[in-house]
Amino acid sequence: MRTALLILGIVLFIAGPAAKIYHLDHANNYMIASGLGLVMITAMAFIKKK
């Protein structure tokens, strides 16, 4: 489960800048999702495994 959340966070983090580069519609929404992905990655770094 932890690995799946980490992969999802990475995909979201990459999606925002990619949407800006390719000038997709609603690119600002993708940038918000990118920020959420960054938060997920950061949270996974600080939450220790049991």
Side-chain angles (χ1 to χ4, degrees):
M1 183 70 179
R2 180 180 174 89
T3 306
L5 285 175
L6 188 60
I7 292 171
L8 178 65
I10 291 169
V11 169
L12 285 175
F13 182 64
I14 293 171
K20 283 284 192 183
I21 289 170
Y22 293 116
H23 304 290
L24 297 179
D25 293 337
H26 309 290
N28 290 331
N29 291 340
Y30 287 106
M31 289 302 289
I32 292 170
S34 179
L36 292 176
L38 181 62
V39 168
M40 288 174 63
I41 294 169
T42 305
M44 286 298 185
F46 288 109
I47 296 174
K48 295 183 180 182
K49 290 183 184 178
K50 290 183 179 180

